[in-house]
Amino acid sequence: MNVLCIGGGPAGLYSALLLKKAAPRHRVVVVERNRPYDTFGWGVVFSDQTLDNLVAADEPTAREILASFNHWDDIEIFFKGARVRSGGHGFAGIGRKHLLNILQRRCEALGVELVFETDVADDGELAAHYAADLVIAADGLNSRIRARHAGTFTPQVEARQCRFVWLGTTKRFDAFTFDFRETEHGWFQAHVYQFEPGTSTFIVETPETVWRAAGLEDMTQQEAIAFCERLFADRLDGHPLMSNAAHLRGSAMWLRFPRIVCERWVHWAGAVPVVLAGDAAHSAHFSIGSGTKLALEDAIALARCVGAHGDLRQALEAYQAERSVEVLKLQSAARNSMEWFENVARYAALDAPQFAYAMLARSQRLSHENLRLRDPGYVADYERWFARRAFAQAGLAPPDECAIPPMFTPFRVRGLVLKNRIVVSPMAQYSATDGVVGDWHLLHLGARAVGGAALVMAEMTCVSADARITPWCPGLYAPEHTVAWRRIVAAVHATSDASIGIQLGHAGAKGSTRAMWDGIDQPLADGNWPLLSASPQQYLEGVSQVAREAGAADMARIEADFVRATLAADEAGFDWLELHCAHGYLLSSFISPLTNRRTDEHGGTLENRCRFPLRVFAAMRAAWPAHKPMSVRISAHDWVEGGVTPDDAVQVARLFKAAGADVIDCSSGQVSKRERPVFGRMYQAPFADRVRNEAGIATMAVGAIHEADHANGIIAAGRADLCAVGRPHLANPAWTLAEAARIGYRAQPWPRQYLAGKAQLERNLERERS
């Protein structure tokens, strides 16, 4: 087989090397437009795991690379004058030029033909010249071949928000160093690592708006380097910053990272396939150091698939299937990391220890227990710091040994102190009779209250008969409802140290349906009741009832229903109240532009669309005791173009915060059947993160949180203050205690003196109310 590799970077050279090694009879040619020793950028970084992959693929190359590496284990973070160091990370750096030279020499030793200083304008013409049976397009981020066959590859190229410049310095750094600097214009950060004796990579990054405000757009290359030297002078200790891109003038040295995703990786030009590899196929932000890793692993997979399949078409299909999934995983982590660095200002209010932890865990790949495995001392110290602060904020003295997993630290909201950060999510049971809850609800909530969670939330409870989702949903609109709920609340208080809350809502256009197991969202076979919404709508087109638009009289009645239910919830003894403004139910239908098409004062702008939900909330807050917390559940993303976005969610949270909300419960979706959510573990935690750190209000994270490691990471990093866990609690009512045991933590009961003080506080508050 004749193989043509276009591009002499890591992907092209390593693909050529491995294909030639596997089948020496192949003719393999690499065509590169630059000279052999030209390279841009400084050093590249590998993890220890990547090094293991290289050893397995070609030991002679790996041995030479390993002998050239500068290896380190630590990450060091500088923020607001503080220094935080964490170990056990296992990185290695090597000069990019040195790496390419090693690959070039190995290729030549195996008989690969290297052709330099040849610019490829037409891959088809070049393939014909070399009688190629396979063309590997490894021509980098700005791939001409990818652009030429864009109709097949269907690339998505997105220029990101930050500007960065790739510099070097003669100062030696013994850790992967991140340095954050606030200026009058905004935040800058440096990513620094040594890759060879006497030389370190020094990448300076900042948002485009800050870059422009600082005047860097108009500076010469020399002026911009001098600016960076002044900014990071104390970290450089007199060492200069250097550029190896003298061909770039002025602001052209400052790049915007292109995020690249290709739908397909193989193009067939007649009988000759063109396959993408490396940066031509994908990109991963430099903050997780994976561009070269991905390129080399593409080459490993491509050579293996070609060797394993007799048919080239099958081989390339197997290559695309394998690598597209692996790349997607890493690109997801890289996107999280990239967005974190784009929004450093969002986290600037965090204390240095938490800021550093959040930076370490930014990609959501590095979990709390993984950090503990890498550096037990660092995690123990951080847990002590976090616990001391949490107990102090709760008004409690910390225990003597306070290296406590973050999910087991207390959290105070108004007059309520939760013993830990775990909440049992409201989960519909469809087991009420005419709105009256019974023994099933007592067992359901009681079992989870004694299972270790700090707060158990009753399912969405409807404020009127026509507000129910199904005829089997609970209500709080008749005296017998209050009596039934009071029995359950009393049992929870008597048998556990958990608190109990209730979520009040109105189904709106999603009401009058069957129980989930009889057909989710399907209308009742008979006995349907009329439905209301912000605007006329049919939730399931051609199936659901058409809900009519709520008028002024309807809205006044609905507000009164919520207030009546609020008073009943207090009479029943609930500790916490949540207003449901998510998932396409009535109040959510006012907030989302997908379901609110009104032209009056309740439609149009986001502020107008929130007007009625805020009015209902304010009336409830006035009726609910001042010492008891109130949260609001919102859909932070409709997952439909033209719907609510995370940007909107931050503004919605600000509005509810101003109205007196204590916590925003950040969910998403279920507003429209056209939604296209992107699922994954902790997939909604970023919404809680944004709301908490931009709107400045406590948040509850929900969605695919199913182990202690998830909860500890979310709480420790300041992404949320509480974690609501649903399905795992259905499977195991004692999920919280089971997870504590699994990570080796013995969850402590509340000290007797605290319980006595809590009881006295509640008695005092009750006397004040009466």
Side-chain angles (χ1 to χ4, degrees):
M1 186 166 68
N2 293 337
V3 180
L4 171 64
C5 297
I6 301 176
L13 289 170
Y14 207 50
S15 295
L17 183 163
L18 295 178
L19 286 167
K20 186 68 173 177
K21 176 188 173 184
R25 291 188 300 165
H26 289 337
R27 183 191 183 193
V28 183
V29 180
V30 177
V31 177
E32 164 61 35
R33 64 181 176 182
N34 294 312
R35 294 174 298 181
Y37 298 103
D38 283 350
T39 185
F40 307 104
W42 293 85
V44 295
V45 177
F46 298 117
S47 68
D48 287 348
Q49 180 184 2
T50 303
L51 299 180
D52 292 341
N53 293 339
L54 296 184
V55 170
D58 184 54
E59 188 172 352
T61 304
R63 189 180 298 119
E64 190 174 355
I65 292 172
L66 284 166
S68 307
F69 267 133
N70 181 67
H71 194 277
W72 69 92
D73 282 321
D74 290 357
I75 292 176
E76 196 164 59
I77 300 160
F78 293 88
F79 177 70
K80 292 182 178 177
R83 169 181 171 273
V84 177
R85 195 174 181 107
S86 166
H89 299 285
F91 292 108
I94 185 173
R96 178 177 170 82
K97 182 184 294 187
H98 193 173
L99 173 65
L100 293 178
N101 292 160
I102 291 171
L103 296 177
Q104 288 162 2
R105 287 194 296 270
R106 178 65 171 152
C107 280
E108 289 173 335
L110 291 170
V112 174
E113 301 170 42
L114 302 181
V115 180
F116 293 100
E117 299 182 70
T118 301
D119 200 21
V120 179
D122 187 333
D123 58 283
E125 182 179 311
L126 195 67
H129 175 76
Y130 285 103
D133 302 297
L134 171 64
V135 176
I136 300 172
D139 53 339
L141 286 172
N142 300 310
S143 170
R144 292 181 180 177
I145 299 174
R146 183 186 64 226
R148 190 164 184 256
H149 303 300
T152 299
F153 297 130
T154 320
Q156 299 175 29
V157 182
E158 176 190 12
R160 295 302 302 182
Q161 299 173 14
C162 280
R163 291 277 183 168
F164 69 95
V165 60
W166 204 295
L167 302 172
T169 181
T170 54
K171 180 181 174 180
R172 178 181 181 274
F173 287 82
D174 65 350
F176 203 137
T177 300
F178 296 90
D179 195 343
F180 298 85
R181 300 296 173 103
E182 186 176 20
T183 71
E184 60 181 314
H185 310 293
W187 285 90
F188 285 78
Q189 55 262 6
H191 310 240
V192 191
Y193 54 90
Q194 183 175 349
F195 61 88
E196 63 186 22
T199 316
S200 300
T201 294
F202 203 102
I203 303 170
V204 179
E205 182 185 28
T206 188
E208 170 111 6
T209 52
V210 178
W211 178 76
R212 292 184 185 279
L216 287 160
E217 181 181 16
D218 302 317
M219 292 185 191
T220 66
Q221 186 176 117
Q222 292 72 28
E223 289 170 338
I225 290 174
F227 174 94
C228 294
E229 287 175 337
R230 290 191 300 272
L231 184 59
F232 295 99
D234 57 341
R235 199 65 54 232
L236 289 165
D237 293 327
H239 291 262
L241 289 175
M242 307 173 291
S243 171
N244 63 3
H247 63 294
L248 297 177
R249 301 293 179 222
S251 62
M253 67 185 289
W254 292 89
L255 308 175
R256 289 177 67 189
F257 183 81
R259 185 175 187 271
I260 298 168
V261 180
C262 288
E263 186 176 324
R264 283 178 291 276
W265 291 26
V266 183
H267 168 77
W268 286 86
V272 180
V274 179
V275 60
L276 299 177
D279 288 344
H282 47 66
S283 64
H285 193 253
F286 55 81
S287 62
I288 62 170
S290 293
T292 304
K293 161 195 162 70
L294 284 176
L296 297 178
E297 291 179 350
D298 283 352
I300 293 170
L302 179 59
R304 185 179 62 249
C305 290
V306 169
H309 295 82
D311 180 78
L312 190 56
R313 187 177 292 271
Q314 291 178 356
L316 296 181
E317 287 175 355
Y319 164 71
Q320 175 178 310
E322 176 186 332
R323 291 305 295 158
S324 60
V325 171
E326 291 304 311
V327 167
L328 184 61
K329 291 177 185 177
L330 201 139
Q331 281 190 318
S332 176
R335 185 183 188 104
N336 291 338
S337 177
M338 173 179 63
E339 290 181 348
W340 195 93
F341 281 106
E342 288 174 343
N343 294 283
V344 167
R346 179 187 299 163
Y347 306 102
L350 297 178
D351 294 329
Q354 189 165 43
F355 179 92
Y357 182 101
M359 200 223 79
L360 290 172
R362 65 195 180 278
S363 72
Q364 294 191 179
R365 295 177 78 210
L366 192 57
S367 70
H368 192 73
E369 292 307 314
N370 192 274
L371 277 172
R372 192 193 306 279
L373 184 66
R374 295 174 182 220
D375 191 342
Y378 163 74
V379 171
D381 286 344
Y382 182 72
E383 287 182 343
R384 291 187 189 96
W385 175 85
F386 190 93
R388 284 193 297 270
R389 189 185 65 161
F391 275 84
Q393 290 172 343
L396 302 171
D400 294 335
E401 173 49 52
C402 61
I404 299 172
M407 66 182 274
F408 290 108
T409 59
F411 184 64
R412 186 183 191 113
V413 192
R414 296 196 182 231
L416 181 68
V417 178
L418 300 176
K419 65 178 180 178
N420 61 49
R421 308 301 184 99
I422 300 301
V423 178
V424 176
S425 286
M427 292 177 280
Q429 301 298 298
Y430 307 110
S431 300
T433 303
D434 294 329
V436 178
V437 292
D439 289 346
W440 174 261
H441 300 84
L442 177 65
L443 290 168
H444 169 71
L445 294 168
R448 286 148 188 85
V450 299
L455 174 66
V456 293
M457 291 294 298
E459 64 197 274
M460 187 177 100
T461 300
C462 305
V463 297
S464 61
D466 63 345
R468 291 175 296 171
I469 308 168
T470 76
W472 304 277
C473 289
L476 201 46
Y477 51 86
E480 57 268 28
H481 299 155
T482 306
V483 171
W485 278 120
R486 187 187 297 125
R487 171 180 174 240
I488 293 170
V489 171
V492 167
H493 287 158
T495 58
S496 76
D497 53 7
S499 299
I500 182 169
I502 190 168
Q503 184 187 73
L504 295 180
H506 189 301
K510 296 175 73 174
S512 192
T513 63
R514 305 172 195 178
M516 180 177 64
W517 46 80
D518 290 330
I520 190 166
D521 296 323
Q522 297 295 315
L524 296 169
D526 53 64
N528 286 283
W529 54 84
L531 302 178
L532 293 170
S533 184
S535 299
Q537 67 153 308
Q538 191 176 29
Y539 182 63
L540 293 181
E541 292 184 14
V543 177
S544 299
Q545 276 191 73
V546 177
R548 68 176 176 83
E549 181 173 296
D554 299 310
M555 293 160 71
R557 177 179 69 83
I558 291 164
E559 178 186 355
D561 289 341
F562 273 100
V563 170
R564 182 188 62 237
T566 298
L567 294 170
D570 181 41
E571 185 180 344
F574 282 103
D575 305 301
W576 185 293
L577 181 64
E578 179 164 283
L579 176 62
H580 203 322
C581 292
H583 300 167
Y585 296 126
L586 180 70
L587 297 181
S588 168
S589 76
F590 276 85
I591 297 173
S592 175
L594 300 176
T595 48
N596 185 339
R597 296 176 296 279
R598 301 172 74 106
T599 57
D600 62 5
E601 69 273 20
H602 297 288
T605 66
L606 179 63
E607 290 75 13
N608 280 357
R609 299 197 308 271
C610 288
R611 189 187 299 270
F612 181 59
L614 287 167
R615 171 179 144 190
V616 171
F617 176 86
M620 293 170 67
R621 181 69 266 185
W624 186 243
H627 67 280
K628 291 186 178 183
M630 274 191 74
S631 58
V632 180
R633 172 166 280 207
I634 66 169
S635 284
H637 199 327
D638 284 345
W639 302 106
V640 177
E641 187 175 351
V644 166
T645 67
D647 287 340
D648 296 327
V650 172
Q651 184 58 26
V652 170
R654 289 191 177 116
L655 293 170
F656 277 107
K657 176 187 176 183
D662 302 298
V663 175
I664 301 297
D665 181 355
C666 297
S667 188
S668 70
Q670 301 180 53
V671 171
S672 167
K673 286 297 185 182
R674 293 184 288 119
E675 68 184 5
R676 292 292 182 269
V678 180
F679 293 114
R681 60 190 179 95
M682 303 181 286
Y683 74 105
Q684 296 181 131
F687 307 142
D689 183 343
R690 283 202 62 182
V691 167
R692 181 184 191 272
N693 291 298
E694 290 186 32
I697 185 171
T699 58
M700 192 182 306
V702 305
I705 300 167
H706 39 74
E707 58 184 61
D709 211 9
H710 297 166
N712 278 322
I714 289 169
I715 302 301
R719 296 190 192 116
D721 302 276
L722 298 167
C723 287
V725 179
R727 287 178 176 85
H729 272 124
L730 283 180
N732 180 5
W735 178 86
T736 304
L737 292 176
E739 285 298 294
R742 192 169 66 83
I743 64 172
Y745 176 71
R746 182 174 178 178
Q748 299 295 320
W750 283 107
R752 288 185 179 180
Q753 64 269 27
Y754 167 68
L755 290 175
K758 180 173 182 283
Q760 184 61 51
L761 172 66
E762 290 170 348
R763 285 194 294 272
N764 292 342
L765 291 169
E766 187 62 34
R767 277 200 299 272
E768 289 175 14
R769 287 178 61 227
S770 57

